[in-house]
Amino acid sequence: MPLYQNPKLRRLVVFLLSSVLAYGIWIALRWQILPGTSDPVWSLPWWGKLLLLGVFVAIFYRIFRLGGWLIRDARQLYAESQGMRSSATTVRWYRYLNPVGPLYNLYLHRNLLRQFTRREIEGRYRGSYLGIVWSMILPLMMLAIYTFVFAMIFKSRWRADVEASQGEFALALFAGLIAFNIFSECVSRAPTLITTNPNYVKKVVFPLEILPVSTLGAALFHSMISMAILIVATLLIMGTLSVTMVLLPIAMLPLLGLCLGLGWFFASLGVYVRDTAYAIGIVTQVLFFISAIFYPVSAVPEAWQPIMYLNPLTSIVENFRRVLIWNQSLDWGPWLGVTGMSSLMLLLGYTWFMKTKSGFADVL
């Protein structure tokens, strides 16, 4: 038996890794103050130190064991050799709540996902003379229009600070639109993704769950072009670049979870309820005006601001502006809340899609 297949050896390796990690954290935090006391942790008696260190080791050991179990369950559920639809009725619905499952499933189909994402990108401008160059022309024109209208005509300022640049309003508006356009493109296209590709449902065993992901990939590609234009415009208008833009991938995490979760949910619902596409169009327009894109949250009456933050796009848009324009760190409190909510939405949307896609062929 190979060493990596030996259960006792695996448990020993996991225990050693947990011990090393726990000891490293212990060394890093030993001078921190305990809650409710002024004594540092290192001033505890020797038995207290060992007990606390043992608790750390036990916690990390259970986390690693749980992670290993989730990986093994995902491999069993999405084995490439199973030759069957993963939405078969024999699969219990709660197994799709495994957070490793969607990642592992997409990893198995990474080549197909790459091809479909590329097809989404190229298909938008297929047949045009300029092709993908239009992806640069459109956001560049929009930024120029926003700058002219709001900075030159309305003399608008995003902040009340007299030193704030007039062009800053256009930059803040454009940054908010980048985040919202990613969401809008994924959600608005989701209800028709399955109904417009009936051959993938009826004639072949096709991983339909990659269709919303390929749509998100295409939306991210076009948003990267807009972000590049925004960065150049920020340098020209404000004379400096935001160092915190390196936090942009972290700021995008809740947006990605939100887009994928809703994308999977509405892609499935659109098969059974064809009115979904029309309803999503109306809701998207409403969200456009209540997501603090054309105005800062501070301009909203104070009594209404907590209600504004019930919309997850509000904090996502605000964090986009903070890291891309204003050289500020993320607002970690709202970020953690929205990230947790979007992660839950991702798992629920994925579970809904995987358990309902077995009936797509009957409906189509």
Side-chain angles (χ1 to χ4, degrees):
M1 176 185 296
L3 293 179
Y4 65 88
Q5 293 183 358
N6 190 326
K8 293 183 179 180
L9 180 61
R10 287 204 308 266
R11 286 194 290 268
L12 177 60
V13 172
V14 170
F15 177 78
L16 293 176
L17 289 176
S18 302
S19 301
V20 171
L21 181 59
Y23 184 72
I25 294 179
W26 171 263
I27 293 299
L29 300 179
R30 62 180 182 176
W31 299 116
Q32 294 294 319
I33 305 300
L34 285 174
T37 181
S38 59
D39 296 327
V41 174
W42 206 247
S43 67
L44 293 173
W46 65 268
W47 56 267
K49 300 174 186 177
L50 291 179
L51 180 61
L52 188 57
L53 185 60
V55 171
F56 284 166
V57 173
I59 291 174
F60 288 119
Y61 180 78
R62 298 310 303 175
I63 291 176
F64 282 130
R65 290 297 303 273
L66 176 61
W69 179 83
L70 291 176
I71 293 174
R72 291 192 297 272
D73 182 71
R75 286 178 175 175
Q76 181 182 3
L77 183 60
Y78 301 103
E80 290 181 295
S81 60
Q82 65 184 3
M84 59 183 291
R85 295 186 187 276
S86 57
S87 60
T89 55
T90 55
V91 178
R92 299 287 185 177
W93 67 268
Y94 54 79
R95 293 189 66 188
Y96 293 115
L97 293 174
N98 182 349
V100 181
L103 299 177
Y104 187 74
N105 190 15
L106 296 178
Y107 173 77
L108 291 178
H109 301 102
R110 58 191 180 279
N111 293 327
L112 189 61
L113 178 59
R114 188 183 306 113
Q115 295 175 12
F116 269 73
T117 302
R118 182 175 180 178
R119 190 188 71 168
E120 286 280 344
I121 296 172
E122 295 177 347
R124 176 176 295 190
Y125 304 110
R126 183 178 292 118
S128 63
Y129 288 105
L130 296 180
I132 204 170
V133 178
W134 285 110
S135 297
M136 299 180 61
I137 295 177
L138 181 59
L140 191 61
M141 289 181 58
M142 296 305 296
L143 179 59
I145 292 172
Y146 294 147
T147 304
F148 175 76
V149 172
F150 291 101
M152 302 299 179
I153 299 179
F154 291 110
K155 307 293 182 181
S156 301
R157 295 181 185 271
W158 193 264
R159 297 175 296 177
D161 187 359
V162 294
E163 297 181 356
S165 171
Q166 292 179 345
E168 184 179 348
F169 191 100
L171 296 178
L173 174 59
F174 193 61
L177 284 173
I178 292 175
F180 184 83
N181 286 339
I182 297 174
F183 172 83
S184 177
E185 181 172 352
C186 294
V187 174
S188 60
R189 291 193 57 195
T192 58
L193 284 178
I194 308 301
T195 56
T196 55
N197 295 284
N199 291 334
Y200 296 145
V201 179
K202 296 181 179 181
K203 296 183 179 180
V204 293
V205 179
F206 182 82
L208 297 170
E209 58 271 15
I210 73 169
L211 294 179
V213 186
S214 63
T215 302
L216 175 60
L220 289 176
F221 174 82
H222 293 102
S223 70
M224 291 298 109
I225 298 177
S226 298
M227 288 179 188
I229 295 174
L230 176 64
I231 291 172
V232 174
T234 302
L235 181 61
L236 295 176
I237 295 176
M238 304 187 66
T240 183
L241 289 179
S242 175
V243 179
T244 56
M245 69 175 61
V246 296
L247 297 175
L248 181 62
I250 300 177
M252 294 185 68
L253 285 179
L255 179 62
L256 300 183
L258 193 65
C259 291
L260 286 179
L262 292 178
W264 276 318
F265 178 76
F266 289 129
S268 173
L269 188 63
V271 176
Y272 300 100
V273 183
R274 299 302 175 91
D275 294 337
T276 303
Y278 303 100
I280 292 301
I282 298 175
V283 174
T284 302
Q285 289 296 321
V286 174
L287 289 175
F288 181 74
F289 291 101
I290 64 173
S291 298
I293 295 177
F294 286 92
Y295 51 89
V297 179
S298 58
V300 180
E302 188 174 352
W304 291 88
Q305 290 183 13
I307 300 177
M308 289 288 298
Y309 279 109
L310 292 178
N311 176 11
L313 289 175
T314 299
S315 60
I316 291 174
V317 167
E318 287 291 308
N319 278 327
F320 263 62
R321 294 186 180 117
R322 291 171 68 94
V323 300
L324 286 174
I325 301 175
W326 295 322
N327 197 26
Q328 298 176 356
S329 181
L330 295 173
D331 193 354
W332 291 106
W335 181 88
L336 287 173
V338 175
T339 301
M341 185 210 66
S342 64
S343 300
L344 178 61
M345 189 172 296
L346 185 149
L347 288 178
L348 293 178
Y350 180 79
T351 301
W352 168 270
F353 184 91
M354 297 300 290
K355 286 304 295 180
T356 57
K357 76 172 187 176
S358 58
F360 291 172
D362 298 331
V363 177
L364 298 178

PDB file of all heavy atoms in Angstrom, residues 120-149:
ATOM      1  N   GLU A 120     -17.855  32.719 -25.697  1.00  0.00           N
ATOM      2  CA  GLU A 120     -18.701  33.830 -25.253  1.00  0.00           C
ATOM      3  C   GLU A 120     -18.048  35.166 -25.596  1.00  0.00           C
ATOM      4  O   GLU A 120     -18.729  36.104 -26.032  1.00  0.00           O
ATOM      5  CB  GLU A 120     -18.928  33.732 -23.745  1.00  0.00           C
ATOM      6  CG  GLU A 120     -19.887  32.641 -23.324  1.00  0.00           C
ATOM      7  CD  GLU A 120     -21.330  33.045 -23.507  1.00  0.00           C
ATOM      8  OE1 GLU A 120     -21.591  34.246 -23.666  1.00  0.00           O
ATOM      9  OE2 GLU A 120     -22.194  32.153 -23.506  1.00  0.00           O
ATOM     10  N   ILE A 121     -16.753  35.264 -25.389  1.00  0.00           N
ATOM     11  CA  ILE A 121     -16.051  36.521 -25.653  1.00  0.00           C
ATOM     12  C   ILE A 121     -16.022  36.829 -27.141  1.00  0.00           C
ATOM     13  O   ILE A 121     -16.319  37.952 -27.572  1.00  0.00           O
ATOM     14  CB  ILE A 121     -14.620  36.460 -25.084  1.00  0.00           C
ATOM     15  CG1 ILE A 121     -14.670  36.322 -23.555  1.00  0.00           C
ATOM     16  CG2 ILE A 121     -13.825  37.694 -25.483  1.00  0.00           C
ATOM     17  CD1 ILE A 121     -13.328  36.067 -22.918  1.00  0.00           C
ATOM     18  N   GLU A 122     -15.679  35.828 -27.934  1.00  0.00           N
ATOM     19  CA  GLU A 122     -15.559  36.051 -29.376  1.00  0.00           C
ATOM     20  C   GLU A 122     -16.920  36.186 -30.048  1.00  0.00           C
ATOM     21  O   GLU A 122     -17.047  36.881 -31.061  1.00  0.00           O
ATOM     22  CB  GLU A 122     -14.782  34.898 -30.006  1.00  0.00           C
ATOM     23  CG  GLU A 122     -13.328  34.810 -29.537  1.00  0.00           C
ATOM     24  CD  GLU A 122     -12.618  33.609 -30.124  1.00  0.00           C
ATOM     25  OE1 GLU A 122     -13.317  32.725 -30.685  1.00  0.00           O
ATOM     26  OE2 GLU A 122     -11.369  33.536 -30.008  1.00  0.00           O
ATOM     27  N   GLY A 123     -17.935  35.516 -29.487  1.00  0.00           N
ATOM     28  CA  GLY A 123     -19.248  35.528 -30.127  1.00  0.00           C
ATOM     29  C   GLY A 123     -19.949  36.867 -30.044  1.00  0.00           C
ATOM     30  O   GLY A 123     -20.829  37.154 -30.863  1.00  0.00           O
ATOM     31  N   ARG A 124     -19.580  37.693 -29.087  1.00  0.00           N
ATOM     32  CA  ARG A 124     -20.263  38.975 -28.937  1.00  0.00           C
ATOM     33  C   ARG A 124     -20.035  39.872 -30.141  1.00  0.00           C
ATOM     34  O   ARG A 124     -20.947  40.601 -30.557  1.00  0.00           O
ATOM     35  CB  ARG A 124     -19.785  39.678 -27.668  1.00  0.00           C
ATOM     36  CG  ARG A 124     -20.374  41.066 -27.498  1.00  0.00           C
ATOM     37  CD  ARG A 124     -19.961  41.696 -26.196  1.00  0.00           C
ATOM     38  NE  ARG A 124     -20.492  40.973 -25.038  1.00  0.00           N
ATOM     39  CZ  ARG A 124     -20.432  41.435 -23.792  1.00  0.00           C
ATOM     40  NH1 ARG A 124     -19.855  42.600 -23.549  1.00  0.00           N
ATOM     41  NH2 ARG A 124     -20.923  40.723 -22.802  1.00  0.00           N
ATOM     42  N   TYR A 125     -18.850  39.846 -30.698  1.00  0.00           N
ATOM     43  CA  TYR A 125     -18.524  40.752 -31.810  1.00  0.00           C
ATOM     44  C   TYR A 125     -18.197  39.976 -33.091  1.00  0.00           C
ATOM     45  O   TYR A 125     -17.518  40.503 -33.975  1.00  0.00           O
ATOM     46  CB  TYR A 125     -17.333  41.638 -31.424  1.00  0.00           C
ATOM     47  CG  TYR A 125     -17.565  42.416 -30.154  1.00  0.00           C
ATOM     48  CD1 TYR A 125     -16.875  42.096 -28.997  1.00  0.00           C
ATOM     49  CD2 TYR A 125     -18.483  43.452 -30.113  1.00  0.00           C
ATOM     50  CE1 TYR A 125     -17.090  42.800 -27.825  1.00  0.00           C
ATOM     51  CE2 TYR A 125     -18.712  44.163 -28.945  1.00  0.00           C
ATOM     52  CZ  TYR A 125     -18.008  43.834 -27.803  1.00  0.00           C
ATOM     53  OH  TYR A 125     -18.221  44.528 -26.649  1.00  0.00           O
ATOM     54  N   ARG A 126     -18.679  38.744 -33.181  1.00  0.00           N
ATOM     55  CA  ARG A 126     -18.415  37.959 -34.380  1.00  0.00           C
ATOM     56  C   ARG A 126     -19.092  38.615 -35.590  1.00  0.00           C
ATOM     57  O   ARG A 126     -20.263  38.979 -35.550  1.00  0.00           O
ATOM     58  CB  ARG A 126     -18.930  36.533 -34.207  1.00  0.00           C
ATOM     59  CG  ARG A 126     -18.622  35.635 -35.408  1.00  0.00           C
ATOM     60  CD  ARG A 126     -19.110  34.222 -35.195  1.00  0.00           C
ATOM     61  NE  ARG A 126     -18.339  33.555 -34.147  1.00  0.00           N
ATOM     62  CZ  ARG A 126     -18.855  33.113 -33.016  1.00  0.00           C
ATOM     63  NH1 ARG A 126     -20.146  33.279 -32.772  1.00  0.00           N
ATOM     64  NH2 ARG A 126     -18.101  32.512 -32.124  1.00  0.00           N
ATOM     65  N   GLY A 127     -18.343  38.760 -36.669  1.00  0.00           N
ATOM     66  CA  GLY A 127     -18.856  39.350 -37.893  1.00  0.00           C
ATOM     67  C   GLY A 127     -18.594  40.834 -38.023  1.00  0.00           C
ATOM     68  O   GLY A 127     -18.772  41.398 -39.113  1.00  0.00           O
ATOM     69  N   SER A 128     -18.176  41.493 -36.944  1.00  0.00           N
ATOM     70  CA  SER A 128     -17.880  42.926 -37.018  1.00  0.00           C
ATOM     71  C   SER A 128     -16.440  43.137 -37.494  1.00  0.00           C
ATOM     72  O   SER A 128     -15.577  42.274 -37.326  1.00  0.00           O
ATOM     73  CB  SER A 128     -18.081  43.590 -35.655  1.00  0.00           C
ATOM     74  OG  SER A 128     -17.179  43.057 -34.711  1.00  0.00           O
ATOM     75  N   TYR A 129     -16.175  44.303 -38.077  1.00  0.00           N
ATOM     76  CA  TYR A 129     -14.844  44.586 -38.604  1.00  0.00           C
ATOM     77  C   TYR A 129     -13.825  44.823 -37.496  1.00  0.00           C
ATOM     78  O   TYR A 129     -12.681  44.378 -37.572  1.00  0.00           O
ATOM     79  CB  TYR A 129     -14.898  45.806 -39.531  1.00  0.00           C
ATOM     80  CG  TYR A 129     -15.587  45.532 -40.848  1.00  0.00           C
ATOM     81  CD1 TYR A 129     -16.878  46.000 -41.083  1.00  0.00           C
ATOM     82  CD2 TYR A 129     -14.960  44.794 -41.847  1.00  0.00           C
ATOM     83  CE1 TYR A 129     -17.534  45.749 -42.280  1.00  0.00           C
ATOM     84  CE2 TYR A 129     -15.602  44.528 -43.044  1.00  0.00           C
ATOM     85  CZ  TYR A 129     -16.889  45.007 -43.255  1.00  0.00           C
ATOM     86  OH  TYR A 129     -17.535  44.736 -44.437  1.00  0.00           O
ATOM     87  N   LEU A 130     -14.226  45.535 -36.444  1.00  0.00           N
ATOM     88  CA  LEU A 130     -13.291  45.856 -35.376  1.00  0.00           C
ATOM     89  C   LEU A 130     -13.174  44.743 -34.343  1.00  0.00           C
ATOM     90  O   LEU A 130     -12.203  44.710 -33.587  1.00  0.00           O
ATOM     91  CB  LEU A 130     -13.707  47.161 -34.690  1.00  0.00           C
ATOM     92  CG  LEU A 130     -13.673  48.411 -35.569  1.00  0.00           C
ATOM     93  CD1 LEU A 130     -14.112  49.621 -34.761  1.00  0.00           C
ATOM     94  CD2 LEU A 130     -12.276  48.627 -36.147  1.00  0.00           C
ATOM     95  N   GLY A 131     -14.168  43.862 -34.285  1.00  0.00           N
ATOM     96  CA  GLY A 131     -14.094  42.730 -33.377  1.00  0.00           C
ATOM     97  C   GLY A 131     -14.016  43.150 -31.919  1.00  0.00           C
ATOM     98  O   GLY A 131     -14.781  43.999 -31.441  1.00  0.00           O
ATOM     99  N   ILE A 132     -13.055  42.586 -31.212  1.00  0.00           N
ATOM    100  CA  ILE A 132     -12.949  42.808 -29.771  1.00  0.00           C
ATOM    101  C   ILE A 132     -12.514  44.230 -29.422  1.00  0.00           C
ATOM    102  O   ILE A 132     -12.581  44.639 -28.262  1.00  0.00           O
ATOM    103  CB  ILE A 132     -11.953  41.780 -29.178  1.00  0.00           C
ATOM    104  CG1 ILE A 132     -12.242  41.577 -27.687  1.00  0.00           C
ATOM    105  CG2 ILE A 132     -10.515  42.214 -29.396  1.00  0.00           C
ATOM    106  CD1 ILE A 132     -11.487  40.418 -27.090  1.00  0.00           C
ATOM    107  N   VAL A 133     -12.086  44.990 -30.413  1.00  0.00           N
ATOM    108  CA  VAL A 133     -11.721  46.393 -30.168  1.00  0.00           C
ATOM    109  C   VAL A 133     -12.925  47.175 -29.634  1.00  0.00           C
ATOM    110  O   VAL A 133     -12.769  48.151 -28.904  1.00  0.00           O
ATOM    111  CB  VAL A 133     -11.173  47.032 -31.461  1.00  0.00           C
ATOM    112  CG1 VAL A 133     -10.842  48.504 -31.255  1.00  0.00           C
ATOM    113  CG2 VAL A 133      -9.922  46.280 -31.919  1.00  0.00           C
ATOM    114  N   TRP A 134     -14.139  46.732 -29.999  1.00  0.00           N
ATOM    115  CA  TRP A 134     -15.332  47.402 -29.491  1.00  0.00           C
ATOM    116  C   TRP A 134     -15.399  47.338 -27.962  1.00  0.00           C
ATOM    117  O   TRP A 134     -16.017  48.206 -27.326  1.00  0.00           O
ATOM    118  CB  TRP A 134     -16.593  46.778 -30.084  1.00  0.00           C
ATOM    119  CG  TRP A 134     -16.839  47.162 -31.508  1.00  0.00           C
ATOM    120  CD1 TRP A 134     -16.735  46.366 -32.605  1.00  0.00           C
ATOM    121  CD2 TRP A 134     -17.239  48.458 -31.994  1.00  0.00           C
ATOM    122  NE1 TRP A 134     -17.031  47.069 -33.747  1.00  0.00           N
ATOM    123  CE2 TRP A 134     -17.347  48.366 -33.396  1.00  0.00           C
ATOM    124  CE3 TRP A 134     -17.493  49.672 -31.381  1.00  0.00           C
ATOM    125  CZ2 TRP A 134     -17.713  49.434 -34.191  1.00  0.00           C
ATOM    126  CZ3 TRP A 134     -17.866  50.750 -32.165  1.00  0.00           C
ATOM    127  CH2 TRP A 134     -17.970  50.620 -33.547  1.00  0.00           C
ATOM    128  N   SER A 135     -14.794  46.320 -27.377  1.00  0.00           N
ATOM    129  CA  SER A 135     -14.778  46.212 -25.915  1.00  0.00           C
ATOM    130  C   SER A 135     -13.990  47.341 -25.271  1.00  0.00           C
ATOM    131  O   SER A 135     -14.212  47.653 -24.093  1.00  0.00           O
ATOM    132  CB  SER A 135     -14.180  44.863 -25.497  1.00  0.00           C
ATOM    133  OG  SER A 135     -14.974  43.795 -25.954  1.00  0.00           O
ATOM    134  N   MET A 136     -13.091  47.958 -26.025  1.00  0.00           N
ATOM    135  CA  MET A 136     -12.333  49.100 -25.522  1.00  0.00           C
ATOM    136  C   MET A 136     -13.008  50.417 -25.883  1.00  0.00           C
ATOM    137  O   MET A 136     -12.996  51.369 -25.096  1.00  0.00           O
ATOM    138  CB  MET A 136     -10.910  49.071 -26.084  1.00  0.00           C
ATOM    139  CG  MET A 136     -10.107  47.848 -25.701  1.00  0.00           C
ATOM    140  SD  MET A 136      -8.449  47.897 -26.402  1.00  0.00           S
ATOM    141  CE  MET A 136      -7.812  49.387 -25.626  1.00  0.00           C
ATOM    142  N   ILE A 137     -13.624  50.463 -27.067  1.00  0.00           N
ATOM    143  CA  ILE A 137     -14.225  51.710 -27.532  1.00  0.00           C
ATOM    144  C   ILE A 137     -15.420  52.094 -26.666  1.00  0.00           C
ATOM    145  O   ILE A 137     -15.565  53.255 -26.259  1.00  0.00           O
ATOM    146  CB  ILE A 137     -14.642  51.587 -29.009  1.00  0.00           C
ATOM    147  CG1 ILE A 137     -13.400  51.394 -29.887  1.00  0.00           C
ATOM    148  CG2 ILE A 137     -15.439  52.807 -29.448  1.00  0.00           C
ATOM    149  CD1 ILE A 137     -13.722  51.183 -31.354  1.00  0.00           C
ATOM    150  N   LEU A 138     -16.295  51.130 -26.359  1.00  0.00           N
ATOM    151  CA  LEU A 138     -17.518  51.431 -25.613  1.00  0.00           C
ATOM    152  C   LEU A 138     -17.237  52.001 -24.222  1.00  0.00           C
ATOM    153  O   LEU A 138     -17.746  53.072 -23.876  1.00  0.00           O
ATOM    154  CB  LEU A 138     -18.401  50.196 -25.537  1.00  0.00           C
ATOM    155  CG  LEU A 138     -19.734  50.375 -24.810  1.00  0.00           C
ATOM    156  CD1 LEU A 138     -20.565  51.454 -25.489  1.00  0.00           C
ATOM    157  CD2 LEU A 138     -20.507  49.053 -24.756  1.00  0.00           C
ATOM    158  N   PRO A 139     -16.437  51.336 -23.365  1.00  0.00           N
ATOM    159  CA  PRO A 139     -16.182  51.943 -22.041  1.00  0.00           C
ATOM    160  C   PRO A 139     -15.420  53.254 -22.119  1.00  0.00           C
ATOM    161  O   PRO A 139     -15.633  54.148 -21.279  1.00  0.00           O
ATOM    162  CB  PRO A 139     -15.372  50.864 -21.307  1.00  0.00           C
ATOM    163  CG  PRO A 139     -14.812  49.999 -22.366  1.00  0.00           C
ATOM    164  CD  PRO A 139     -15.803  50.023 -23.487  1.00  0.00           C
ATOM    165  N   LEU A 140     -14.551  53.406 -23.127  1.00  0.00           N
ATOM    166  CA  LEU A 140     -13.817  54.661 -23.279  1.00  0.00           C
ATOM    167  C   LEU A 140     -14.766  55.808 -23.614  1.00  0.00           C
ATOM    168  O   LEU A 140     -14.652  56.922 -23.069  1.00  0.00           O
ATOM    169  CB  LEU A 140     -12.751  54.508 -24.363  1.00  0.00           C
ATOM    170  CG  LEU A 140     -11.727  55.628 -24.487  1.00  0.00           C
ATOM    171  CD1 LEU A 140     -10.943  55.767 -23.188  1.00  0.00           C
ATOM    172  CD2 LEU A 140     -10.781  55.360 -25.646  1.00  0.00           C
ATOM    173  N   MET A 141     -15.735  55.549 -24.498  1.00  0.00           N
ATOM    174  CA  MET A 141     -16.720  56.569 -24.838  1.00  0.00           C
ATOM    175  C   MET A 141     -17.598  56.907 -23.640  1.00  0.00           C
ATOM    176  O   MET A 141     -17.891  58.081 -23.389  1.00  0.00           O
ATOM    177  CB  MET A 141     -17.587  56.081 -26.005  1.00  0.00           C
ATOM    178  CG  MET A 141     -16.864  56.030 -27.345  1.00  0.00           C
ATOM    179  SD  MET A 141     -17.975  55.482 -28.656  1.00  0.00           S
ATOM    180  CE  MET A 141     -19.268  56.717 -28.553  1.00  0.00           C
ATOM    181  N   MET A 142     -18.006  55.889 -22.898  1.00  0.00           N
ATOM    182  CA  MET A 142     -18.862  56.132 -21.742  1.00  0.00           C
ATOM    183  C   MET A 142     -18.145  56.959 -20.689  1.00  0.00           C
ATOM    184  O   MET A 142     -18.721  57.884 -20.101  1.00  0.00           O
ATOM    185  CB  MET A 142     -19.332  54.805 -21.140  1.00  0.00           C
ATOM    186  CG  MET A 142     -20.222  53.979 -22.059  1.00  0.00           C
ATOM    187  SD  MET A 142     -21.677  54.886 -22.658  1.00  0.00           S
ATOM    188  CE  MET A 142     -22.546  55.179 -21.128  1.00  0.00           C
ATOM    189  N   LEU A 143     -16.869  56.672 -20.448  1.00  0.00           N
ATOM    190  CA  LEU A 143     -16.113  57.439 -19.470  1.00  0.00           C
ATOM    191  C   LEU A 143     -15.962  58.884 -19.922  1.00  0.00           C
ATOM    192  O   LEU A 143     -16.076  59.822 -19.117  1.00  0.00           O
ATOM    193  CB  LEU A 143     -14.740  56.804 -19.250  1.00  0.00           C
ATOM    194  CG  LEU A 143     -13.826  57.520 -18.248  1.00  0.00           C
ATOM    195  CD1 LEU A 143     -14.486  57.586 -16.880  1.00  0.00           C
ATOM    196  CD2 LEU A 143     -12.486  56.812 -18.158  1.00  0.00           C
ATOM    197  N   ALA A 144     -15.730  59.092 -21.217  1.00  0.00           N
ATOM    198  CA  ALA A 144     -15.611  60.451 -21.736  1.00  0.00           C
ATOM    199  C   ALA A 144     -16.929  61.214 -21.591  1.00  0.00           C
ATOM    200  O   ALA A 144     -16.942  62.395 -21.210  1.00  0.00           O
ATOM    201  CB  ALA A 144     -15.179  60.407 -23.205  1.00  0.00           C
ATOM    202  N   ILE A 145     -18.041  60.544 -21.855  1.00  0.00           N
ATOM    203  CA  ILE A 145     -19.356  61.189 -21.723  1.00  0.00           C
ATOM    204  C   ILE A 145     -19.636  61.540 -20.270  1.00  0.00           C
ATOM    205  O   ILE A 145     -20.091  62.646 -19.950  1.00  0.00           O
ATOM    206  CB  ILE A 145     -20.449  60.284 -22.302  1.00  0.00           C
ATOM    207  CG1 ILE A 145     -20.291  60.171 -23.829  1.00  0.00           C
ATOM    208  CG2 ILE A 145     -21.830  60.821 -21.959  1.00  0.00           C
ATOM    209  CD1 ILE A 145     -21.207  59.160 -24.462  1.00  0.00           C
ATOM    210  N   TYR A 146     -19.376  60.604 -19.367  1.00  0.00           N
ATOM    211  CA  TYR A 146     -19.605  60.866 -17.945  1.00  0.00           C
ATOM    212  C   TYR A 146     -18.761  62.033 -17.462  1.00  0.00           C
ATOM    213  O   TYR A 146     -19.237  62.896 -16.706  1.00  0.00           O
ATOM    214  CB  TYR A 146     -19.282  59.619 -17.115  1.00  0.00           C
ATOM    215  CG  TYR A 146     -20.193  58.449 -17.356  1.00  0.00           C
ATOM    216  CD1 TYR A 146     -19.728  57.132 -17.272  1.00  0.00           C
ATOM    217  CD2 TYR A 146     -21.539  58.644 -17.670  1.00  0.00           C
ATOM    218  CE1 TYR A 146     -20.560  56.061 -17.502  1.00  0.00           C
ATOM    219  CE2 TYR A 146     -22.377  57.575 -17.897  1.00  0.00           C
ATOM    220  CZ  TYR A 146     -21.886  56.283 -17.814  1.00  0.00           C
ATOM    221  OH  TYR A 146     -22.707  55.222 -18.044  1.00  0.00           O
ATOM    222  N   THR A 147     -17.509  62.072 -17.883  1.00  0.00           N
ATOM    223  CA  THR A 147     -16.623  63.153 -17.458  1.00  0.00           C
ATOM    224  C   THR A 147     -17.126  64.500 -17.969  1.00  0.00           C
ATOM    225  O   THR A 147     -17.141  65.501 -17.233  1.00  0.00           O
ATOM    226  CB  THR A 147     -15.196  62.899 -17.960  1.00  0.00           C
ATOM    227  OG1 THR A 147     -14.752  61.613 -17.493  1.00  0.00           O
ATOM    228  CG2 THR A 147     -14.241  63.965 -17.455  1.00  0.00           C
ATOM    229  N   PHE A 148     -17.561  64.541 -19.214  1.00  0.00           N
ATOM    230  CA  PHE A 148     -18.033  65.800 -19.792  1.00  0.00           C
ATOM    231  C   PHE A 148     -19.331  66.266 -19.133  1.00  0.00           C
ATOM    232  O   PHE A 148     -19.469  67.430 -18.746  1.00  0.00           O
ATOM    233  CB  PHE A 148     -18.242  65.631 -21.302  1.00  0.00           C
ATOM    234  CG  PHE A 148     -18.835  66.846 -21.960  1.00  0.00           C
ATOM    235  CD1 PHE A 148     -18.062  67.971 -22.208  1.00  0.00           C
ATOM    236  CD2 PHE A 148     -20.178  66.865 -22.322  1.00  0.00           C
ATOM    237  CE1 PHE A 148     -18.606  69.092 -22.804  1.00  0.00           C
ATOM    238  CE2 PHE A 148     -20.729  67.984 -22.925  1.00  0.00           C
ATOM    239  CZ  PHE A 148     -19.947  69.108 -23.165  1.00  0.00           C
ATOM    240  N   VAL A 149     -20.291  65.341 -18.971  1.00  0.00           N
ATOM    241  CA  VAL A 149     -21.603  65.727 -18.458  1.00  0.00           C
ATOM    242  C   VAL A 149     -21.531  66.128 -16.994  1.00  0.00           C
ATOM    243  O   VAL A 149     -22.007  67.198 -16.598  1.00  0.00           O
ATOM    244  CB  VAL A 149     -22.617  64.583 -18.659  1.00  0.00           C
ATOM    245  CG1 VAL A 149     -23.940  64.900 -17.957  1.00  0.00           C
ATOM    246  CG2 VAL A 149     -22.856  64.341 -20.141  1.00  0.00           C
TER     247      VAL A 149
END
